[in-house]
Structure formats: structure tokens, C-alpha cells
Amino acid sequence: MKRYFSIIFFTFCIFNSSNAQGLLGPKQEIFTRQDSLRGSITKERAWWDVKYYHLDVKVNPEDSTITGSNTVKYQVLQEYNTMQIDLQNPMMIYKVIQDGVALKYKREGNVFFIELTAPQKIGSTKELTVFYGGKPKVAINPPWDGGITWKKDSNGNPFIASSCQGLGASVWWPNKDHMYDEAESMLISVNVPKGLMDVSNGRLLSTKQLKDGTKTYNWYVSNPINNYGVNLNIGDYVSFSEKYKGEKGNLDCTYYVLRENLDKAKIQFKEVPRMLKAFEKWFGPYPFYEDSYKLVEAPYLGMEHQSSVTYGNDFQNGYRGRDLSGTGWGLKFDFIIIHESGHEWFANNITCKDIADMWIHESFTNYSESLFLEYYYGKEAGYTYLRGIRKKIINDKPIIGKYDVNNEGSGDMYYKGSNMLHTLRQIVNEDEKWRTILRGLNSTFYHQTVTTKQIEAYLSQQVGTDLNPFFNQYLRDSRIPTLEYFFKDNQLGYRWTNCVPGFNMPVKVTLNGTGELLKPKTEWNTIPSKNENSKLEIDPNFYVAGFNITE
């Protein structure tokens, strides 16, 4: 049989999808005991449930040190006497106190095992205080390289911030550094030199001026918060505020920027109420009305710190002035304001238990960019943007990483993940139902940590079909599913190939100018067609490829 291939729809990166998994097999990643201690629910973590943290620290810009304590309030789930607290090198724990007694502990890499002497009775609530300090890792390329950024503004004032997604909050403060268990509330006390201000999560409860000229800012978070979402931002800040009339009433919005950027911020941050209006429509109420919404200038690009979103996009639209989609639509919004704020719903409200499932954060939030465009500029604007960012998909490895070793999957969790959701929307084929599903995710899993399986089960139930093959293809495999077809003897033959076993996603096509819904499987199927000169076009909003096979 002679074959030739006509590519009717491509993803801009189909280059060698069959080889995306590697002809020589996937590269084997090697994980250590430290990876397991960081990424798994060890027995030293499993027996206790964190309820509350009081992080009380002093930040000294002169020698780049952080010293202080973290009081950990927890509930005993099982009787056990060894507690795992994480704190990464070169930071040190100096002392641990419970019930007035100094406890023994031993260090293993980035983990401290604390030996408790008091009875740990099931159901009881206990607390201990960890005293620590040192020079935390400096973030070389934040926010991708985690740690603390120590910079100065144009007037020579210290400009300091934390960013630690992936690497972990234990890079600068001691905690139970696993996303499955969130503190239900938190007090963050940050002492800074004279003339500086700290902005952290939640609401500012109080400030205290000390005799040495320093000042302590006390911030209270009344909602559950993931560890990497906890932040400190220190600078010569000025602020302005407004109230957004949202679905749950008045939302306090406060903006903190360097003194020199106040005028620019008052113009650029008008994007915030536009963002809130669009996202409350699509996803439901902003999840942290009690803790307010803050946008805080930072000395790096930005991060999704809960109720304290950090911003460093130079007060311009796009991604540092660039359109990631190449369509023009990416310059219609400030990427950092929209993307990082979108994480308030997907990452901070709904948080994955294991970082291997980080797609739950990034796929939905990358997708939120197109929904913002759709809200203000129409459906085709959002659709065009999504198709445009496909050129950034790599198809190097599965989107889901390895569990229990603090391992993220492919960076395709952004652009491929959003196009996976866009494809799912085409299957749902009802705009209002799709919006109801997105809002339902945020209400069903409100302030919860979740697994991929939970999200899959919810979506399958709401869509009304078993989506397991769909997610196996897009999350657990790196290939692009391909609709292979031919015209012969007034018949159209078609099937899915380059896919996982059992892949059976329906797909919209235009056949000889008429819209059709095909339901291919991995086995050949045929339907009548006019003649061998027939033409088939796949709906470009499906993230698939197509090959025309002609004898």
C-alpha cells in the first residue's frame, strides 16, 4: 500500500510525537531518600494534623539572615513520639520547646526528627515552638529558583521577598513541608528595620514599634493556607485600596508598591477589578474574602501567594511586554495580574496534595487567561489565544510527575494542560454547563487539598461520561492523539492512533462542508461518504492531529 500524509491540523509541535516518549525509552530519574522525606507522607508526618502556625521572624538585610520561631499547633491522630519538621540547609534549628521542656532532635539533611516526651494522646491538641535561624538560600532566578531575593530599590532601600514553590517553604521557615496538610489559620509576625514595611498574607492585625527602631508587622490568615503560599515582602512600600463589590459582598483590595511606582500602579492595577469580575463569573466567588485581596510589588516576576499576590511585570500588558500566544490577544491583559490571581482559585482554594499533580494548579490557571479574554472580547478571542500558545508545547514527558518524591511533571502542564481543558469543553459543548462545572469544582473542593483522581472523578460525573481514557492520554502520556482516516469506495474510514489503549474521545469535524460528530475508537470504523475526493477538517479547538491515508 502506498501512503502519503496530509496534515490537516497541527499543534505547531507535532514534529515527532511518536518519538516524544523516546525511541530509546524515557530517561530514568533517580530519586534519593531526601526526595522521599520531602515528598511522601512519612510516619513522622502522618500521625499529626497541623492546625495553626505562628511564624515570628526577624529579617536583617545587612547580613541576609532570618531568625525567629514557629509555634506549631497540631491535633494528634495516632499515638507516636517522633515529629518530622522540615528546614533546608543552611538554615538551622537551635531549640525546640514543648510544655516548657527542651526536646532532643536529630538532623538528616533537610529534615529534623524531634523526639517528644509528653504523651501524645489521640484527639488531643498540642503545640511546640521551634527556634531557628541562618542565611536562607538566595533565589538566583526567582520565582523558578526558590529562596529569598535580597535587592535594593532605586533609592537604595532594601527590597526583599520570598518565593519557594517547588523547592518548598522550608527553604526559609520550619514547617510540615508537604502540601497534603495545610494550617487552618496562621499568624505571621515579621520584624523589619526602620523605614521598611512587611506585607504578608491575610489582614494586618497590628504593628509594634520596638526600642531598637525596628518594627513588627502582624498578619493574620483566617483561611487554610499552603506552605509555599506563605510570603514576606519587605520594602519602602506605599499603598492604596478600593472595595470590589463581588458575589460575597465587598472585597477589600489593597495594593502595595514601591514609592517610586505609585502613579504607574494606580493605572495598571485597574486590571484587578476586571479580573475579579471575569473570574467570579467563571469560577465562583473569590475564595478568601475574609483575608482580603492584595497585589504586592516584588523584586521578581510574580507568584500566587494566597491573598498576597506578588507582582513584577513592570506595569505593562503581556508577559513582560510580550504576547506568548503570538496572536495579539496576549497584549490585551497584564499577564501576571491575570495568571497569578487565577491561582487564588486553582492552587490556593483547590490545592494538589502531591506536587506530581501540579497540573491542577497550572492547567486551570493557564486556561483562565483565555476565559478572561472571552469574558471581555468574545469567545473567538479566547479560543484564538489558546490555539496560539500551542506552539510552546513540548510533548517531552507526561504532565503528571512521580508521586511521593516531590517531583513535578512536564512543563506542558501549562500550555498543553490548558488545551486539554479546552478540548474537554468542546466535548461538553454547552457553555453554561461548562461554566457550572468550573464553578462546581471550586465549591465542591472549597479550601481542600485534592488528588488528580478526585478531579477526574468529578469531571467524569459532571460531563456524564468516563473520562479515564481522556486523562490517561493527556496527563499520563506525551503523545498527541491522531485521527487517522481515508476515503475509499464512497466510505470514510477513521480511527484513533498514536494514543493510549481504549482512547475513544469524540471529535467534531467538517465533512464536505457539513458539521459532524465522529466517535472514533482505536479500531477502524466507516461511515458513508460522497466520493474519494471528499474533504474532512478537524475542529481546530480539539488538541489532536489528523492524517489522511490514501491508497
Side-chain angles (χ1 to χ4, degrees):
M1 175 183 288
K2 180 180 178 181
R3 295 188 176 190
Y4 69 90
F5 300 88
S6 173
I7 304 174
I8 59 170
F9 167 69
F10 250 35
T11 63
F12 302 97
C13 60
I14 185 119
F15 57 102
N16 58 347
S17 59
S18 62
N19 192 41
Q21 297 186 36
L23 294 175
L24 300 178
K27 182 179 179 180
Q28 294 297 314
E29 296 180 88
I30 299 174
F31 299 103
T32 67
R33 172 166 166 78
Q34 282 296 306
D35 294 322
S36 296
L37 289 175
R38 172 74 173 85
S40 64
I41 304 174
T42 63
K43 64 180 180 180
E44 291 83 8
R45 284 171 167 165
W47 68 270
W48 59 285
D49 175 27
V50 63
K51 294 295 184 181
Y52 169 84
Y53 290 129
H54 177 198
L55 178 61
D56 186 1
V57 297
K58 178 182 180 68
V59 179
N60 189 348
E62 290 188 1
D63 61 3
S64 302
T65 60
I66 295 178
T67 57
S69 65
N70 186 25
T71 298
V72 183
K73 184 177 290 187
Y74 63 95
Q75 184 176 38
V76 179
L77 305 179
Q78 305 167 30
E79 291 188 6
Y80 200 64
N81 66 352
T82 303
M83 173 181 286
Q84 177 179 335
I85 291 291
D86 305 283
L87 184 65
Q88 298 179 33
N89 278 307
M91 302 296 282
M92 293 289 297
I93 289 178
Y94 301 132
K95 182 170 58 176
V96 182
I97 300 290
Q98 184 171 62
D99 299 332
V101 177
L103 303 177
K104 294 181 179 180
Y105 55 86
K106 62 179 180 179
R107 181 168 203 166
E108 184 178 345
N110 294 324
V111 167
F112 288 79
F113 293 108
I114 300 168
E115 299 300 323
L116 308 176
T117 57
Q120 306 293 313
K121 295 183 179 180
I122 294 175
S124 64
T125 298
K126 307 280 289 181
E127 69 176 48
L128 56 75
T129 301
V130 180
F131 297 87
Y132 79 107
K135 289 187 176 183
K137 178 182 179 294
V138 175
I140 304 301
N141 185 30
W144 302 278
D145 174 77
I148 304 296
T149 300
W150 307 87
K151 288 190 175 181
K152 292 188 176 182
D153 65 20
S154 63
N155 295 314
N157 299 305
F159 191 24
I160 303 164
S162 61
S163 57
C164 52
Q165 183 181 18
L167 181 61
S170 55
V171 73
W172 68 278
W173 62 283
N175 60 82
K176 187 182 193 177
D177 205 2
H178 193 290
M179 291 194 296
Y180 90 99
D181 192 8
E182 297 182 345
E184 295 175 11
S185 60
M186 185 169 184
L187 178 61
I188 306 166
S189 301
V190 182
N191 177 262
V192 297
K194 182 179 180 180
L196 298 179
M197 180 181 186
D198 170 70
V199 183
S200 291
N201 315 79
R203 292 185 182 270
L204 184 62
L205 283 186
S206 63
T207 60
K208 184 177 181 180
Q209 189 78 43
L210 304 184
K211 292 181 179 180
D212 62 2
T214 64
K215 195 171 187 178
T216 299
Y217 291 82
N218 297 300
W219 297 86
Y220 182 69
V221 182
S222 62
N223 287 293
I225 185 168
N226 61 60
N227 293 333
Y228 82 84
V230 175
N231 72 341
L232 55 80
N233 304 281
I234 299 168
D236 180 25
Y237 285 122
V238 294
S239 67
F240 60 102
S241 61
E242 63 182 322
K243 290 186 182 293
Y244 173 76
K245 296 186 182 300
E247 289 193 15
K248 292 177 69 174
N250 287 330
L251 171 62
D252 294 321
C253 300
T254 308
Y255 312 112
Y256 296 87
V257 296
L258 295 180
R259 193 175 303 276
E260 63 209 60
N261 293 324
L262 180 60
D263 290 340
K264 289 185 286 188
K266 285 184 175 181
I267 296 172
Q268 190 69 10
F269 289 3
K270 290 179 180 179
E271 189 90 315
V272 171
R274 282 166 47 84
M275 173 276 298
L276 289 166
K277 186 175 182 180
F279 287 172
E280 286 209 330
K281 176 76 171 181
W282 282 108
F283 303 142
Y286 172 74
F288 307 106
Y289 271 72
E290 302 85 356
D291 291 326
S292 79
Y293 172 92
K294 297 186 296 299
L295 190 61
V296 187
E297 186 176 358
Y300 60 87
L301 185 60
M303 267 289 294
E304 68 261 28
H305 303 108
Q306 183 173 310
S307 74
S308 180
V309 175
T310 47
Y311 176 88
N313 201 39
D314 300 324
F315 306 97
Q316 60 186 329
N317 280 0
Y319 179 95
R320 288 178 166 158
R322 296 185 291 116
D323 175 13
L324 295 178
S325 74
T327 65
W329 289 112
L331 295 176
K332 295 292 186 182
F333 61 94
D334 186 312
F335 178 90
I336 292 300
I337 293 177
I338 301 308
H339 180 91
E340 303 304 344
S341 298
H343 276 306
E344 294 283 51
W345 285 264
F346 293 98
N348 298 336
N349 183 37
I350 304 174
T351 308
C352 61
K353 289 181 182 290
D354 192 301
I355 200 171
D357 289 334
M358 187 64 77
W359 75 272
I360 298 169
H361 298 194
E362 300 300 350
S363 298
F364 281 98
T365 303
N366 190 262
Y367 181 63
S368 75
E369 299 160 23
S370 70
L371 295 179
F372 176 85
L373 285 170
E374 181 174 338
Y375 185 87
Y376 287 105
Y377 303 103
K379 183 184 291 188
E380 190 52 35
Y383 280 23
T384 301
Y385 179 81
L386 281 166
R387 295 194 297 267
I389 60 177
R390 287 175 182 167
K391 64 179 179 291
K392 303 183 73 66
I393 298 173
I394 302 172
N395 288 311
D396 58 337
K397 60 181 180 179
I399 286 175
I400 292 180
K402 302 292 191 301
Y403 291 104
D404 298 325
V405 288
N406 197 48
N407 175 250
E408 295 180 18
S410 170
D412 280 347
M413 69 179 75
Y414 292 85
Y415 309 109
K416 184 176 182 178
S418 60
N419 273 279
M420 171 191 72
L421 295 172
H422 185 53
T423 299
L424 182 57
R425 179 181 182 177
Q426 310 314 306
I427 297 171
V428 172
N429 202 31
E430 295 179 35
D431 290 347
E432 189 58 28
K433 181 177 180 180
W434 181 240
R435 189 174 72 90
T436 299
I437 289 173
L438 295 175
R439 289 175 65 94
L441 277 168
N442 278 279
S443 59
T444 300
F445 301 107
Y446 183 73
H447 290 178
Q448 293 183 32
T449 60
V450 301
T451 65
T452 288
K453 287 295 186 183
Q454 286 177 280
I455 300 299
E456 287 183 19
Y458 174 85
L459 290 172
S460 291
Q461 180 186 48
Q462 297 301 311
V463 175
T465 188
D466 179 10
L467 293 173
N468 187 57
F470 175 87
F471 287 115
N472 285 342
Q473 180 66 49
Y474 286 103
L475 294 178
R476 301 180 178 90
D477 195 278
S478 60
R479 295 170 294 175
I480 305 169
T482 302
L483 183 67
E484 193 174 57
Y485 68 96
F486 65 85
F487 293 102
K488 183 179 180 181
D489 299 331
N490 295 326
Q491 295 283 312
L492 166 65
Y494 57 90
R495 69 172 180 180
W496 286 119
T497 188
N498 207 42
C499 59
V500 299
F503 187 67
N504 59 353
M505 181 179 73
V507 61
K508 298 175 187 176
V509 302
T510 300
L511 181 59
N512 298 320
T514 302
E516 299 277 355
L517 179 66
L518 298 183
K519 297 182 178 180
K521 297 182 179 180
T522 53
E523 302 83 21
W524 284 108
N525 191 18
T526 60
I527 60 173
S529 180
K530 289 182 178 180
N531 53 58
E532 294 188 15
N533 294 320
S534 294
K535 183 178 181 181
L536 181 147
E537 295 179 335
I538 299 175
D539 186 329
N541 293 302
F542 283 76
Y543 180 67
V544 298
F547 291 136
N548 183 0
I549 302 171
T550 303
E551 291 186 351

